Amino acid sequence: GNSVTQMEGPVTLSEEAFLTINCTYTATGYPSLFWYVQYPGEGLQLLLKATKADDKGSNKGFEATYRKETTSFHLEKGSVQVSDSAVYFCALSGTGFQKLVFGTGTRLLVSP
Amino acid sequence: DVKVTQSSRYLVKRTGEKVFLECVQDMDHENMFWYRQDPGLGLRLIYFSYDVKMKEKGDIPEGYSVSREKKERFSLILESASTNQTSMYLCASSSHTAGGELFFGEGSRLTVL
């Protein structure tokens, strides 16, 4: 079945550092891929998405490219801020009914 | 502002009690979902519904039931709460045409003593 694997956290960075959070997936067909973010005390919200191979999703300085050949959707940001501290979830939506499968989440801690 | 609202942010219940978690969305979405979130396990799907009065089991339905009598409301029921159901519960909704994007509520943190 479909599955998502994310790097374990926490990821600890200083402000303005470069961020990469790895995500790989296993899926049949052509899934859509998502990154969700959960700030402390809140629910999840969509950060970005990509619906086909080689698409790049971007939002708030974050970006991720749908790589079919490596089955990956790594999240990157060139310069993180303290306000980016949150838990990040990679997810995929298979074909047919739109039920998302989530990774286990990666906590990012950014210090001033 | 579009919203998914969960009725209780924090609940404390005793073992064996019946627990209701309510979720309401104002986006006229067809699909609604209940997940639980646990450290190291991410989000796991309990039940979902793609239409009024319709429900489907997710990955971990044991010990739970759901009700969807109206399009905007999806309730999660713990018939007899147990300590291993202590968790964060997240409700979400989506449209058939949204390409899988989910809109989440803020979560209900349930503690079962």
Side-chain angles (χ1 to χ4, degrees):
Chain A
N2 296 343
S3 65
V4 174
T5 302
Q6 286 183 239
M7 61 189 291
E8 285 197 29
V11 174
T12 304
L13 296 173
S14 298
E15 205 164 27
E16 299 184 3
F18 184 85
L19 168 71
T20 301
I21 300 179
N22 290 338
C23 172
T24 57
Y25 68 89
T26 301
T28 54
Y30 303 95
S32 295
L33 300 173
F34 304 81
W35 277 102
Y36 281 81
V37 58
Q38 184 179 33
Y39 297 105
E42 298 183 13
L44 279 70
Q45 56 185 274
L46 180 68
L47 181 60
L48 53 85
K49 69 177 182 181
T51 57
K52 61 182 188 297
D54 300 324
D55 266 3
K56 177 185 284 188
S58 61
N59 186 25
K60 300 182 181 179
F62 291 88
E63 59 183 36
T65 301
Y66 187 161
R67 302 280 190 205
K68 196 171 192 308
E69 63 276 11
T70 55
T71 61
S72 64
F73 193 55
H74 304 321
L75 182 68
E76 297 182 334
K77 187 175 186 183
S79 176
V80 293
Q81 306 300 312
V82 172
S83 57
D84 293 326
S85 297
V87 181
Y88 292 82
F89 292 89
C90 186
L92 70 83
S93 173
T95 52
F97 182 72
Q98 295 151 356
K99 188 174 62 167
L100 262 63
V101 174
F102 287 85
T104 53
T106 302
R107 182 176 298 278
L108 171 64
L109 300 170
V110 181
S111 56
Chain B
D1 209 13
V2 294
K3 283 192 81 166
V4 177
T5 304
Q6 296 184 228
S7 55
S8 304
R9 292 294 304 274
Y10 301 95
L11 303 95
V12 179
K13 298 292 182 181
R14 298 207 173 274
T15 301
E17 280 193 81
K18 190 168 186 175
V19 181
F20 292 88
L21 299 179
E22 304 285 341
C23 176
V24 177
Q25 52 95 3
D26 65 0
M27 295 167 279
D28 201 35
H29 283 168
E30 298 86 3
N31 309 321
M32 296 189 75
F33 306 81
W34 276 106
Y35 289 88
R36 64 177 282 177
Q37 181 181 9
D38 299 288
L41 298 176
L43 274 70
R44 293 179 292 167
L45 183 62
I46 305 171
Y47 267 96
F48 60 98
S49 168
Y50 51 87
D51 201 352
V52 176
K53 296 192 186 295
M54 304 301 289
K55 59 184 179 184
E56 295 286 342
K57 293 179 179 179
D59 300 316
I60 52 163
E62 296 78 18
Y64 303 95
S65 62
V66 291
S67 172
R68 191 153 181 217
E69 296 296 318
K70 294 184 178 181
K71 188 176 186 180
E72 67 270 19
R73 187 180 297 271
F74 192 38
S75 303
L76 180 69
I77 303 153
L78 287 67
E79 293 289 342
S80 177
S82 63
T83 54
N84 62 13
Q85 293 178 308
T86 292
S87 187
M88 171 70 84
Y89 291 88
L90 294 170
C91 176
S93 70
S94 71
S95 166
H96 281 332
T97 58
E101 179 180 352
L102 294 181
F103 293 82
F104 282 86
E106 293 187 316
S108 298
R109 183 166 293 282
L110 171 66
T111 301
V112 182
L113 303 175

